[in-house]
Amino acid sequence: MRTFVRVLLGLALVFAGTSHLTFARRDFRAQVPDFVPLDTDTTVLASGVAEIGLGSAILLAPRRRRKAVGSIAALFFTVIFPGNLSQWVNRRSAFGLDTDEKRVARLFGQPLLIWAALWSTRGSAGARR
């Protein structure tokens, strides 16, 4: 099950990162908080490249490196959480999140991503490390 979640998370990150650079670029701009000192589009592009890299690393990292990669991915999900908050606080519609209720509900997804990044890259409880 951990492998399934790890692969799913890796593929989702690569897809999301690719969408940052292409068809969903406008929607991702809605999530960039006003306090970010970079240009909004630059922020979206940089985070897209980061997601492609993280997703690829989650998929391809050797077993001995997966724990570190999972920790970095969890940190990334933590760092981008203010973007989700900003979208809610500023009532910015994107990705079909066009009501406050939908935007709030999305906030609960971020802890699940953090958990998935950590859990799926830790190996089984009985595995040797």
Side-chain angles (χ1 to χ4, degrees):
M1 185 56 130
R2 286 180 198 263
T3 299
F4 174 77
V5 171
R6 182 178 57 79
V7 169
L8 185 64
L9 182 63
L11 291 173
L13 277 165
V14 170
F15 176 79
T18 302
S19 69
H20 275 69
L21 307 178
T22 57
F23 65 91
R25 210 155 140 186
R26 181 176 174 189
D27 281 334
F28 279 109
R29 288 184 192 135
Q31 294 183 301
V32 178
D34 295 334
F35 65 80
V36 173
L38 296 174
D39 171 70
T40 301
D41 201 46
T42 301
T43 303
V44 169
L45 293 173
S47 62
V49 169
E51 287 188 357
I52 292 168
L54 281 171
S56 298
I58 286 172
L59 290 168
L60 303 173
R63 188 176 307 271
R64 69 183 186 285
R65 301 279 186 227
R66 286 183 189 158
K67 185 176 179 180
V69 170
S71 295
I72 293 167
L75 179 62
F76 176 79
F77 290 134
T78 302
V79 168
I80 65 169
F81 185 68
N84 295 344
L85 284 173
S86 176
Q87 185 178 3
W88 170 57
V89 168
N90 294 305
R91 294 182 155 163
R92 295 178 182 155
S93 295
F95 304 109
L97 305 173
D98 53 4
T99 66
D100 286 341
E101 292 79 14
K102 289 178 183 177
R103 289 185 282 265
V104 165
R106 181 170 189 237
L107 297 177
F108 293 96
Q110 208 73 11
L112 293 175
L113 291 172
I114 293 166
W115 169 83
L118 295 173
W119 181 79
S120 69
T121 58
R122 293 312 192 250
S124 64
R128 295 182 139 206
R129 297 182 214 277

